[in-house]
Amino acid sequence: MAGACALALTAVLCPLHHHDAAGALPVPEGGGNSAATHARYASAPRDTGCTDATAAASLDPASGSTDGPAVERIKARGRLIVGVDQNSYLWGFRDPATGRLAGFDIDIVRAIAQDILGDPGKVQYLTVPTADRIDAVKDGKVDMVVRTMSINCQREKDVAFSTAYFEAGQQVLAPKKSAITGFDDSLKGKRVCTARGSTGQAELQDESHGASVTLVDNQLDCLVLLQLGRVDAVFTDNALAAGQAAQDPQVHLVGSKVTDEPYGVAMNLGAPDLVRRVNQVLDAYRAGGANSPWMHSYRTWLAAQLPGITGPPQPTYT
């Protein structure tokens, strides 16, 4: 199974690592199966009760319990079950030197496990394709998803988010020899790849600039298709694209970012105590200025490709 999950072109929910026997994860209150297609997460209209300015607001740790039923289930189980990526370089990837998962997102997972379970290693990681992130949370397959997941109003109908832990934006990745100049009419007649169920898909559905769109299950698959010459450009979060450019010196980001994409930890709507607990962890993770765990992780993974960031996004609470 682990070998199969290491392939770039994968569309299954795969266990990566756990410290004891896997058990069924109870569906928290408000969970359950969704009959909706994955595409609706990207294409459905926003809830009028939510705006871009308010989407990233989350539950204040001081407003209620941070140690209720959802957190107690994790403690009783003895491990945190988290949906991640293992193919996003710098964010969630298999380090060839150690064989272990590493990256900016993985550092956050380990901080959450340390806080709840007293051990950053007590995590069962599951690979979750982009299009399956929401269903994995709603169906109780994972306690949370930490996978460069943008907070937006449509998704907040289905999952609860932590406060934002990073700010990114959709941008075009293209070969350095390409005439493509950004998310503009230079895409006319070109083939553009993005992940199914992503905010990139939603933007391309609204305005493709004359491009044909190729959808894949995992964003790294787009880089593979670009390298094979089967697409002409990739449209994704600039934070992810920076990792892809670091892997392939023949490609680069072009133009400017066209959206604001705050990343958050996604959890079940019926687990407010877990949401507050994660926000409490993130508050501590941001604290300390230049010496904060957040800045240490940024310098380790992202500073070379995304320079100039002086600190984490400030939390907003409902």
Side-chain angles (χ1 to χ4, degrees):
M1 176 92 57
C5 294
L7 295 174
L9 299 175
T10 180
V12 295
L13 189 71
C14 303
L16 290 180
H17 180 73
H18 59 85
H19 292 264
D20 50 26
L25 178 61
V27 179
E29 298 86 354
N33 293 322
S34 171
T37 61
H38 297 308
R40 86 173 177 87
Y41 297 130
S43 62
R46 285 174 178 262
D47 185 340
T48 56
C50 177
T51 68
D52 288 337
T54 63
S58 185
L59 294 175
D60 189 334
S63 69
S65 173
T66 59
D67 200 16
V71 173
E72 287 303 318
R73 277 194 295 270
I74 294 167
K75 290 180 177 179
R77 187 195 307 129
R79 69 188 186 282
L80 187 67
I81 304 177
V82 186
V84 297
D85 195 357
Q86 68 165 348
N87 292 317
S88 290
Y89 184 53
L90 306 179
W91 291 90
F93 71 103
R94 182 74 65 181
D95 188 336
T98 64
R100 300 182 65 84
L101 285 172
F104 192 85
D105 279 345
I106 304 304
D107 284 353
I108 289 175
V109 173
R110 290 174 60 82
I112 295 169
Q114 173 66 50
D115 182 82
I116 295 176
L117 297 167
D119 185 341
K122 288 187 175 180
V123 182
Q124 178 181 347
Y125 294 100
L126 301 180
T127 55
V128 183
T130 302
D132 293 344
R133 293 175 297 187
I134 287 176
D135 282 348
V137 173
K138 291 181 69 175
D139 296 347
K141 294 176 181 175
V142 297
D143 295 308
M144 62 190 64
V145 167
V146 187
R147 193 189 183 284
T148 58
M149 189 168 177
S150 300
I151 304 167
N152 63 38
C153 296
Q154 179 57 37
R155 289 173 176 168
E156 286 192 336
K157 296 177 182 178
D158 296 293
V159 296
F161 281 101
S162 70
T163 54
Y165 65 81
F166 195 83
E167 293 279 358
Q170 295 290 314
Q171 196 168 346
V172 173
L173 182 76
K176 290 181 177 177
K177 296 181 179 180
S178 171
I180 294 172
T181 57
F183 194 66
D184 53 34
D185 289 344
S186 66
L187 294 175
K188 186 176 182 178
K190 303 298 186 182
R191 301 161 297 175
V192 179
C193 183
T194 196
R196 185 177 290 107
S198 68
T199 49
Q201 180 188 358
E203 290 295 321
L204 287 165
Q205 286 174 336
D206 288 341
E207 175 56 80
S208 68
H209 291 287
S212 61
V213 180
T214 298
L215 298 177
V216 297
D217 288 308
N218 287 294
Q219 192 61 56
L220 186 65
D221 299 347
C222 284
L223 179 62
V224 174
L225 294 179
L226 186 64
Q227 292 169 331
L228 293 174
R230 292 169 57 184
V231 299
D232 302 300
V234 175
F235 190 53
T236 186
D237 298 358
N238 59 351
L240 289 173
Q244 294 177 10
Q247 292 174 286
D248 185 347
Q250 303 304 312
V251 302
H252 65 157
L253 284 161
V254 294
S256 57
K257 71 174 187 175
V258 297
T259 62
D260 292 318
E261 307 279 345
Y263 290 165
V265 178
M267 290 158 281
N268 196 279
L269 287 170
D273 61 307
L274 182 59
V275 176
R276 293 188 188 95
R277 184 64 170 262
V278 169
N279 283 338
Q280 180 175 281
V281 174
L282 290 176
D283 279 349
Y285 198 72
R286 298 182 189 98
N291 295 318
S292 69
W294 193 98
M295 286 300 298
H296 176 76
S297 186
Y298 165 73
R299 287 190 294 267
T300 300
W301 301 114
L302 306 178
Q305 302 299 324
L306 293 169
I309 297 175
T310 58
Q314 292 301 303
T316 56
Y317 292 113
T318 56

